[in-house]
Amino acid sequence: SVGTADGPSASANVAAPTAIASDGEGTLYFATEGGSILRLRNGIVSTIATGFASPRGMVYSKVFQSVESLFIT
């Protein structure tokens, strides 16, 4: 489906992005119109969640060097 083809960034499908967030250390997170959340880390795109109803915003947060959160709206 749209935006869920994982793999090397040169061949992965990140179609119809609706939001993007960064962890500040080189990892990017994309929300897609199809309701998937994708992560781009070290040149590899991976689907980390599905089933969202048209996500429109994301914020990454890291607390105390160990607790990581990705807020999706």
Side-chain angles (χ1 to χ4, degrees):
S1 67
V2 174
T4 60
D6 295 347
S9 59
S11 62
N13 180 8
V14 182
T18 57
I20 188 170
S22 171
D23 70 359
E25 297 177 5
T27 300
L28 297 177
Y29 299 90
F30 299 89
T32 67
E33 181 128 335
S36 295
I37 307 301
L38 308 176
R39 177 181 60 212
L40 172 60
R41 183 185 327 184
N42 299 324
I44 303 295
V45 175
S46 303
T47 301
I48 60 171
T50 60
F52 289 88
S54 298
R56 297 289 180 223
M58 292 194 303
V59 175
Y60 176 89
S61 177
K62 187 171 187 177
V63 181
F64 302 118
Q65 303 279 333
S66 62
V67 179
E68 298 180 65
S69 300
L70 186 63
F71 299 94
I72 303 161
T73 61

